[in-house]
């Protein structure tokens, strides 16, 4: 997608904001029947650690900061007016961004990199001074997930980075036009009926919906730096998959959840825009919602929820070497209102050529990672199975069942005694058969090297290993 298309998109979409009120009034009754939890409001999940985010300077000097960070639906540490770099002198250009980062973003980042470069460093320099990057980081292709998607980017150290050094700083003027507060205010001014219709879908959904509409309508310069709106050959998030791709999830707990989400978004679109409205298509709305859910970040109080251009280049690692924080800036001398900047800083020394990463959530299973972010990780201890038994379900996490196998026989017997052994073994056999059936039917398709196919392979592998471990416990 190029900039020449932006005006056409905005002309097409803008009419959706001025539809007669009745177009926003008809909410399908089936919409509210099965609402995915993450659609209700910005989600907050925590990585283990101290949840009191404000720390004094001695604490910052003597203790490693524990992460409260999860990318996208993220918990962000707030440090009010505290310098968190502990005397580490970070190389930053006074103009706002190191040339090495800017050049690599433009030259190695492909379509997305060029678009993000134009957004962060516009010719008018309207906000380039409030995005900073270390001279020790560059952008490069990231194929850690094994995919061949040439839009997979990452941030890498081109020189050693010391613990506590600042990697990025993103100013209020850059991210605020992409935030939930801006989107909600804009919708209240332009189309209050849109907000009311989204609220009728389910309370809290109006936040996501307004951010989605803001992304489509008022954020074209940032939008083109996101994964493509149309023409994707390798859509990563299952919400955007076609029926044949979703069918490959059969036998996993992800299948029903993806079908539920796709149905919810389709019904929500009809409920908000009306059955006859074509200004914002279902596909456009689904893309925008999935982009909000996978790329926007929020803090634990849900008082902050925004896209973070530049920062969103950081990929996931369970052993992340960076964290994100919110830093309040108050100019009391000039009586200016306090604003909040976003910082990314190293939590340990980072070696040259090592990728800079954050955690999207160390407790997330591959089921959740795939549905929200479009990838899976190998050997995820949070993978689980959900066996349907008579009158109840048995949900078992891989890490827990492996502990049962390692512990004494008395603990295993205590766990097994809560269930009908033969019923559990039958359910395991049935689920394994479902996984095998899909593998046999769709083997040729799964042999592809696309990102989504690799994610399905990892998801299925985790499912099979957890089923077999649970089978050993009950045998």
């Amino acid at each position: 997608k190029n900039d020449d298309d932006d005006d056409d998109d905005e002309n097409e979409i803008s009419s959706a904001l001025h539809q007669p009120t009745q177009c926003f009034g008809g909410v399908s009754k089936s919409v509210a029947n099965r609402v995915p939890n993450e659609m209700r409001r910005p989600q907050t999940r925590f990585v283990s650690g101290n949840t009191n985010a404000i720390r004094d300077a001695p604490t910052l000097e003597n203790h490693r900061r524990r992460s409260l960070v999860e990318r996208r639906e993220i918990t962000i540490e707030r440090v009010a007016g505290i310098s968190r770099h502990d005397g580490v002198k970070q190389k930053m250009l006074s103009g706002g961004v190191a040339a090495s980062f800017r050049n690599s973003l433009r030259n190695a980042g492909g379509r997305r990199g060029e678009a993000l470069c134009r957004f962060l460093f516009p010719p008018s320099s309207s906000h380039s001074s409030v995005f900073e990057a270390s001279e020790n980081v560059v952008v490069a292709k990231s194929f850690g997930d094994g995919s061949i998607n040439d839009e997979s980017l990452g941030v890498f150290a081109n020189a050693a980075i010391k613990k506590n050094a600042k990697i990025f700083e993103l100013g209020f003027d850059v991210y605020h036009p992409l935030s939930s507060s801006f989107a909600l205010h804009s919708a209240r001014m332009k189309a209050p009926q849109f907000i009311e219709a989204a609220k009728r879908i389910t309370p809290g959904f109006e936040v996501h919906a307004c951010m989605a509409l803001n992304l489509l309508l008022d954020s074209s310069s940032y939008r083109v730096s996101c994964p493509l709106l149309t023409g994707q050959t390798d859509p990563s998030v299952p919400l955007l998959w076609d029926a044949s791709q979703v069918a490959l999830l059969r036998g996993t707990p992800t299948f029903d959840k993806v079908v539920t989400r796709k149905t919810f978004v389709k019904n929500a679109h009809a409920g908000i825009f009306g059955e006859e409205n074509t200004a914002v298509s279902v596909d456009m709305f689904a893309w925008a919602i999935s982009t909000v859910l996978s790329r926007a970040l929020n803090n634990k109080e849900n008082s902050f929820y925004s896209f973070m251009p530049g920062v969103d280049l950081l990929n996931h690692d369970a052993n992340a070497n960076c964290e994100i924080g919110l830093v309040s800036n108050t100019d009391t001398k000039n009586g200016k209102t306090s604003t909040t900047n976003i910082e990314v800083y190293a939590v340990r020394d980072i070696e040259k050529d090592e990728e800079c990463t954050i955690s999207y959530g160390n407790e997330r299973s591959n089921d959740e990672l795939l549905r929200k972010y479009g990838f899976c990780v190998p050997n995820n201890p949070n993978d689980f199975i959900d066996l349907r038994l008579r009158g109840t379900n048995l949900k078992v996490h891989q890490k827990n069942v492996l502990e049962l196998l390692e512990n004494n026989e008395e603990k295993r017997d205590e766990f097994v005694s809560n269930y009908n052994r033969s019923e559990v073994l039958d359910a395991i056999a049935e689920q394994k058969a479902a996984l095998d059936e899909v593998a046999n039917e769709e083997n040729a398709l799964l042999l592809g090297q696309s990102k989504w196919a690799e994610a399905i392979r990892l998801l299925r592998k985790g499912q099979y290993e957890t089923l077999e471990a649970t089978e050993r416990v009950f045998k």
Side-chain angles (χ1 to χ4, degrees), residues 25-314:
V27 180
S28 171
K29 292 182 180 179
S30 61
V31 171
N33 290 343
R34 300 175 67 193
V35 180
N37 289 333
E38 58 272 19
M39 296 294 189
R40 297 180 185 274
R41 58 184 62 85
Q43 297 295 294
T44 300
R45 296 181 181 259
F46 302 100
V47 179
S48 60
N50 183 6
T51 57
N52 296 319
I54 298 178
R55 298 169 168 81
D56 55 21
T59 302
L60 289 174
E61 290 175 0
N62 296 309
H63 299 281
R64 179 185 181 278
R65 290 170 295 274
R66 276 210 175 259
S67 174
L68 292 177
V69 177
E70 290 188 18
R71 187 183 175 213
R72 315 310 187 205
E73 292 173 346
I74 196 165
T75 301
I76 306 172
E77 181 176 0
R78 176 179 290 279
V79 181
I82 298 175
S83 173
R84 53 158 62 82
H85 310 303
D86 304 340
V88 176
K89 292 184 178 180
Q90 183 64 28
K91 295 180 180 179
M92 298 277 183
L93 290 187
S94 59
V97 63
S100 56
F101 175 83
R102 187 201 302 241
N103 292 338
S104 64
L105 181 61
R106 180 185 297 113
N107 299 329
R111 177 199 66 83
R112 286 185 58 204
E114 289 181 4
L116 186 57
C117 211
R118 289 193 298 271
F119 177 82
L120 292 174
F121 322 117
S124 62
S125 299
S126 58
H127 60 217
S128 63
S129 62
V130 288
F131 178 80
E132 296 182 356
S134 165
E135 283 190 343
N136 294 339
V137 296
V138 295
V139 176
K141 301 293 185 184
S142 177
F143 301 111
D145 56 11
S147 74
I148 59 171
N149 186 345
D150 63 0
E151 293 200 339
S152 296
L153 303 178
V155 178
F156 294 82
N158 65 347
I161 298 174
K162 292 294 186 180
K163 178 182 177 181
N164 299 325
K166 183 163 65 175
I167 308 298
F168 292 133
E169 181 168 358
L170 185 65
F172 176 84
D173 290 344
V174 181
Y175 71 77
H176 178 64
L178 303 169
S179 67
S180 60
S181 59
F182 182 95
L184 285 164
H185 175 76
S186 179
R188 288 189 188 103
M189 295 299 102
K190 297 177 181 179
Q193 67 272 32
F194 178 89
I195 296 179
E196 294 307 311
K199 283 182 178 178
R200 287 195 293 271
I201 301 299
T202 186
F205 181 64
E206 72 276 7
V207 179
H208 303 300
C210 286
M211 287 187 71
L213 197 65
N214 184 55
L215 180 66
L216 289 171
L217 177 62
D218 293 328
S219 308
S220 60
S221 57
Y222 173 70
R223 186 181 72 237
V224 294
S225 73
C226 299
L228 290 171
L229 173 60
T230 57
Q232 290 193 80
T233 57
D234 188 17
S236 59
V237 182
L239 179 59
L240 306 178
W241 290 2
D242 63 31
S244 64
Q245 291 170 305
V246 173
L248 296 176
L249 297 172
R250 297 194 317 273
T252 74
T254 311
F255 176 76
D256 285 341
K257 295 174 184 177
V258 169
V259 171
T260 297
R261 178 178 289 195
K262 289 175 76 72
T263 302
F264 170 83
V265 170
K266 180 180 179 181
N267 290 338
H269 173 269
I272 292 173
F273 295 102
E275 296 286 353
E276 304 302 323
N277 188 298
T278 59
V280 176
S281 69
V282 175
D283 290 342
M284 291 172 69
F285 186 63
W287 174 86
I289 288 292
S290 68
T291 302
V292 169
L293 292 175
S294 64
R295 305 192 74 80
L297 303 84
N298 72 285
N299 68 346
K300 65 179 181 179
E301 298 90 4
N302 288 330
S303 60
F304 179 94
Y305 189 34
S306 180
F307 292 104
M308 295 189 181
V311 176
D312 58 12
L313 292 168
L314 293 164

Side-chain angles (χ1 to χ4, degrees), residues 288-469:
I289 288 292
S290 68
T291 302
V292 169
L293 292 175
S294 64
R295 305 192 74 80
L297 303 84
N298 72 285
N299 68 346
K300 65 179 181 179
E301 298 90 4
N302 288 330
S303 60
F304 179 94
Y305 189 34
S306 180
F307 292 104
M308 295 189 181
V311 176
D312 58 12
L313 292 168
L314 293 164
N315 289 316
H316 166 75
D317 194 312
N319 299 307
N321 52 30
C322 295
E323 290 181 359
I324 299 176
L326 301 182
V327 179
S328 296
N329 303 304
T330 306
D331 189 349
T332 55
K333 182 177 179 181
N334 296 318
K336 291 184 177 180
T337 304
S338 173
T339 60
T340 301
N341 282 7
I342 297 157
E343 289 189 0
V344 178
Y345 51 93
V347 295
R348 62 170 174 81
D349 290 349
I350 302 174
E351 299 179 359
K352 184 179 183 295
D353 298 327
E354 185 179 355
E355 184 170 9
C356 298
T357 58
I358 56 174
S359 170
Y360 296 16
N362 288 352
E363 299 300 317
R364 295 187 190 274
S365 65
N366 276 340
D367 162 66
E368 192 173 5
L369 289 173
L370 178 58
R371 286 185 292 110
K372 294 183 177 180
Y373 312 120
F375 69 88
C376 296
V377 297
N379 305 314
N380 189 336
N382 303 308
D383 279 342
F384 67 92
I385 57 172
D386 193 1
L387 301 175
R388 297 178 181 178
L389 308 177
R390 287 190 295 273
T392 187
N393 277 24
L394 172 58
K395 186 175 181 178
V396 182
H397 286 82
Q398 187 178 110
K399 58 186 175 185
N400 294 334
V401 76
L402 292 178
E403 288 176 3
L404 286 174
L405 289 172
E406 292 174 358
N407 289 330
N408 59 49
E409 188 173 343
E410 182 178 348
K411 288 186 177 181
R412 290 199 300 275
D413 290 343
E414 181 182 354
F415 172 75
V416 171
S417 66
N418 294 315
Y419 303 93
N420 183 306
R421 185 189 299 262
S422 61
E423 185 183 1
V424 170
L425 291 174
D426 288 344
I428 290 173
E430 182 179 344
Q431 195 157 329
K432 287 171 71 175
L435 288 169
D436 290 339
E437 180 182 3
V438 174
N440 293 333
E441 290 179 356
E442 308 290 352
N443 188 52
L445 186 57
L446 283 173
L447 289 176
Q449 294 299 308
S450 59
K451 184 176 182 178
W452 64 268
E454 174 62 20
I456 291 176
R457 282 194 288 269
L458 289 173
L459 177 71
R460 289 166 52 81
K461 182 174 182 291
Q463 286 286 295
Y464 222 98
E465 289 173 348
T466 308
L467 285 168
E468 291 187 329

